[in-house]
Amino acid sequence: MITVDVLVCGAGPVGLFFGYLMAIKGHSVYVFDKIAEPSENSRALLITSRTLEMFSLVGLDAAVLKEARIFFFFFFFFVKNQIKSNYNLIPNQLGTAEASGDTTFPQQNILPQVRLERILETKLASQGYPVHWSTTLTAYSQTDSGIEATLSTQEEQEQNEGLVTVRASYMVGADGTHSAVRR
């Protein structure tokens, strides 16, 4: 039996950031995800000025900026479905955008999601809370003091020791559109 303050289901950017926030505020966390390791596929690239402002409040801005590509000006293009004989696509410029504003970070920051997740996972681990990969929520129930969740981990399956029970005051569903928590 594992007892923590917060059980976080999902180790994408939201789950990792929330777990890190809870950890630095002194709460014990258990963050897990059903996938075996961080995905190499990025679903997001842009980190806005407001997100960086939030990261700066908890000391994450420097690590993110160290990895990000910073842009102050963008050109936007639309590529037609026409192909010239030399197979070059024909782009049409739609417009431009300038990053500015009343902020400490007046730029757009390009950082693949997978790299942001690695930064957040490292910061979470530095607080003593590693991510538990290959772990699936199989059931949970409400108790008088929070929740009790049953998790199936690959490690437990390989050792034939059964399932893991986690008791937590709170459970957060950060496990995406097909969320087991919200279902």
Side-chain angles (χ1 to χ4, degrees), residues 149-160:
T150 304
L151 308 178
S152 172
T153 69
Q154 186 165 349
E155 182 178 296
E156 297 298 328
Q157 291 168 359
E158 289 171 359
Q159 296 176 5
N160 292 323

Side-chain angles (χ1 to χ4, degrees), residues 52-102:
L52 264 179
E53 289 170 358
M54 296 303 295
F55 284 168
S56 73
L57 295 175
V58 293
L60 290 172
D61 54 324
V64 169
L65 287 172
K66 182 179 177 183
E67 296 286 326
R69 301 274 187 211
I70 298 171
F71 293 89
F72 293 94
F73 199 80
F74 287 93
F75 290 94
F76 294 95
F77 293 91
F78 170 76
V79 178
K80 292 182 179 180
N81 289 334
Q82 297 175 321
I83 299 178
K84 289 183 176 181
S85 60
N86 64 358
Y87 298 101
N88 290 329
L89 295 175
I90 304 170
N92 289 340
Q93 184 174 342
L94 293 177
T96 61
E98 183 178 354
S100 62
D102 185 19

Side-chain angles (χ1 to χ4, degrees), residues 29-154:
V29 296
Y30 188 101
V31 179
F32 73 94
D33 202 298
K34 64 183 176 184
I35 62 175
E37 58 189 20
S39 174
E40 289 298 320
N41 298 320
S42 291
R43 294 184 179 169
L45 292 171
L46 183 67
I47 297 178
T48 65
S49 298
R50 183 65 184 136
T51 300
L52 264 179
E53 289 170 358
M54 296 303 295
F55 284 168
S56 73
L57 295 175
V58 293
L60 290 172
D61 54 324
V64 169
L65 287 172
K66 182 179 177 183
E67 296 286 326
R69 301 274 187 211
I70 298 171
F71 293 89
F72 293 94
F73 199 80
F74 287 93
F75 290 94
F76 294 95
F77 293 91
F78 170 76
V79 178
K80 292 182 179 180
N81 289 334
Q82 297 175 321
I83 299 178
K84 289 183 176 181
S85 60
N86 64 358
Y87 298 101
N88 290 329
L89 295 175
I90 304 170
N92 289 340
Q93 184 174 342
L94 293 177
T96 61
E98 183 178 354
S100 62
D102 185 19
T103 176
T104 308
F105 307 101
Q107 75 265 357
Q108 295 300 319
N109 309 280
I110 306 297
L111 183 67
Q113 179 177 329
V114 65
R115 289 172 56 197
L116 175 61
E117 289 174 351
R118 285 197 178 111
I119 291 168
L120 294 170
E121 181 183 10
T122 300
K123 292 290 189 178
L124 182 61
S126 75
Q127 297 295 311
Y129 300 106
V131 174
H132 302 273
W133 300 104
S134 299
T135 301
T136 306
L137 176 68
T138 58
Y140 70 91
S141 60
Q142 187 79 36
T143 67
D144 290 339
S145 60
I147 63 100
E148 187 169 295
T150 304
L151 308 178
S152 172
T153 69
Q154 186 165 349

